[in-house]
Amino acid sequence: MAFPIVRHRRLRQNAAIRGLVRETVLTVDDFIQPIFITYGSGIKNEISSMPGVFHFSLDTLEEELKEIVELGISAVLLFGIPSEKDSVGSSGFDENGIVQEATRVIKSLYPDLLVVADTCLCEFTDHGHCGMVHTFERDGHVHGDVLNDESLELLTRTAVSQARAGADIIAPSNMMDGFVYAIRKGLDEAGFSHVPIMSYSVKYASAFYGPFREAADSAPQFGDRKTYQMDPANVLEAIREAESDVQEGADMLMVKPALAFMDVIRLLRDQFDLPLVAYNVSGEYSMVKAAAQQGWINERAIVTEMLLGMKRAGADIIITYFAKDMARWLRERN
């Protein structure tokens, strides 16, 4: 049957009917709020390229946590900016490193707030890469090879130290081959078999990470990350990456970035039955904030539509710098 018997607009004619037939709904339980922690005291410094996002020292963290908990957000993702860096990122796996210290502070203040620890070395290495690097000079320029297998041991030490500090979920973002297997084995051997791994399974070498590089002080000092992060042109490769992580013991899969890779989110949703995470990254956040500050867009409407799109594509969980904003808007709507 077709028009005039079929009239699709019947189910759109008022807000109540639209609400009854709405297929995708955002809730505060969908969101994880990222937090940037740094050394020092009395620090709450706004990140210039990410309006509304701050660096916090441990002594100013409580105010931020209180707001997050009162808004009903149940999880935070921790990134740490260390006081010192070296070639192997040793402060990343230091038992008293910034992420470990922040985790203990959070758990002492809000034991039920989930702590997701980003497990990578790029914030902690002086070269800004996500693993150990063999450097050499050629044609007057510094070059380097990221050493895959040697990096796995350091990443495993980082994950175990984070779990020992109280992290509820380990989220490795380094894109080394075999990282899930190595970290799962290390966690199990250290007595943390109950700690799940939220794997950055499909992480593209994306231009959308620009503001994050400022926030985490993690820009590579030479070269780029294209030898270990994925080519944005590829989608079949995403299946191979995710399948490897499933076989190695991942508990959750992630696609990063989200906005330009909705097709990949849908593909993984159709291929795998693990919980799926979309990371609404810094560049996606900053573009919206900048346009909103100019009065060019309706920020609330744009953000809602964007996050709905990620969930509609198949994401169960969304990591987003808009988490607090969205939680407020959802509360106002209710």
Side-chain angles (χ1 to χ4, degrees), residues 85-93 121 124-127 131-132 154:
K85 302 188 179 193
D86 58 31
S87 62
V88 297
S90 59
S91 56
F93 48 85
L121 298 177
F124 306 102
T125 54
D126 52 16
H127 47 72
M132 290 180 63
L154 302 183

Side-chain angles (χ1 to χ4, degrees), residues 35-331:
I35 302 179
F36 295 95
I37 312 295
T38 189
Y39 279 107
S41 61
I43 295 173
K44 182 183 177 182
N45 295 335
E46 189 170 34
I47 299 163
S48 63
S49 58
M50 299 178 70
V53 178
F54 296 82
H55 288 128
F56 296 96
S57 53
L58 293 174
D59 61 326
T60 63
L61 187 55
E62 184 173 1
E63 180 184 354
E64 176 74 356
L65 297 174
K66 184 174 185 290
E67 183 181 19
I68 287 169
V69 169
E70 288 179 348
L71 286 169
I73 297 167
S74 61
V76 294
L77 174 62
L78 291 188
F79 296 100
I81 297 89
S83 58
E84 296 181 357
K85 302 188 179 193
D86 58 31
S87 62
V88 297
S90 59
S91 56
F93 48 85
D94 187 334
E95 296 293 340
N96 296 309
I98 187 65
V99 171
Q100 290 81 354
E101 290 284 0
T103 299
R104 285 189 280 267
V105 168
I106 292 170
K107 284 301 181 181
S108 69
L109 293 170
Y110 296 99
D112 294 331
L113 183 62
L114 290 176
V115 173
V116 184
D118 179 79
T119 306
C120 195
L121 298 177
C122 60
E123 300 113 286
F124 306 102
T125 54
D126 52 16
H127 47 72
H129 282 283
C130 301
M132 290 180 63
V133 171
H134 167 64
T135 59
F136 56 92
E137 283 195 21
R138 187 175 61 211
D139 303 326
H141 298 283
V142 177
H143 300 269
D145 294 324
V146 177
L147 304 175
N148 190 95
D149 294 11
E150 293 85 344
S151 299
L152 295 178
E153 179 185 353
L154 302 183
L155 292 162
T156 300
R157 290 176 64 183
T158 302
V160 170
S161 71
Q162 292 169 338
R164 190 174 288 121
D168 299 285
I169 298 172
I170 297 300
S173 61
N174 53 86
M175 287 298 284
M176 298 295 112
D177 289 338
F179 70 93
V180 173
Y181 172 79
I183 290 172
R184 181 73 275 159
K185 183 172 183 289
L187 289 172
D188 292 353
E189 290 176 351
F192 297 107
S193 59
H194 61 285
V195 174
I197 294 176
M198 176 191 288
S199 174
Y200 285 63
S201 301
V202 181
K203 183 178 180 181
Y204 286 94
S206 172
F208 283 99
Y209 303 150
F212 177 90
R213 301 278 163 80
E214 176 198 347
D217 188 24
S218 63
Q221 297 304 299
F222 57 85
D224 53 41
R225 295 176 178 153
K226 293 180 180 179
T227 64
Y228 48 101
Q229 294 179 359
M230 282 179 50
D231 185 340
N234 293 353
V235 65
L236 295 178
E237 184 182 2
I239 299 176
R240 298 197 297 271
E241 287 280 359
E243 189 169 30
S244 291
D245 288 358
V246 171
Q247 292 171 348
E248 292 174 19
D251 300 283
M252 292 173 261
L253 306 176
M254 187 190 301
V255 175
K256 179 184 180 183
L259 192 59
F261 298 93
M262 298 281 200
D263 59 323
V264 181
I265 296 173
R266 171 46 57 187
L267 182 66
L268 263 63
R269 175 75 291 146
D270 292 341
Q271 292 281 333
F272 304 101
D273 59 4
L274 292 181
L276 184 57
V277 185
Y279 197 144
N280 176 213
V281 299
S282 61
E284 299 165 359
Y285 173 87
S286 296
M287 290 191 304
V288 172
K289 283 291 185 183
Q293 287 180 348
Q294 293 295 320
W296 296 337
I297 60 170
N298 179 325
E299 180 180 356
R300 178 172 176 169
I302 289 286
V303 173
T304 301
E305 189 172 329
M306 186 167 63
L307 300 183
L308 268 173
M310 295 169 195
K311 191 170 182 182
R312 189 183 65 246
D316 302 293
I317 302 163
I318 302 172
I319 300 171
T320 178
Y321 302 96
F322 288 113
K324 291 194 300 180
D325 290 332
M326 198 68 232
R328 292 189 196 95
W329 296 331
L330 288 171
R331 182 171 291 182

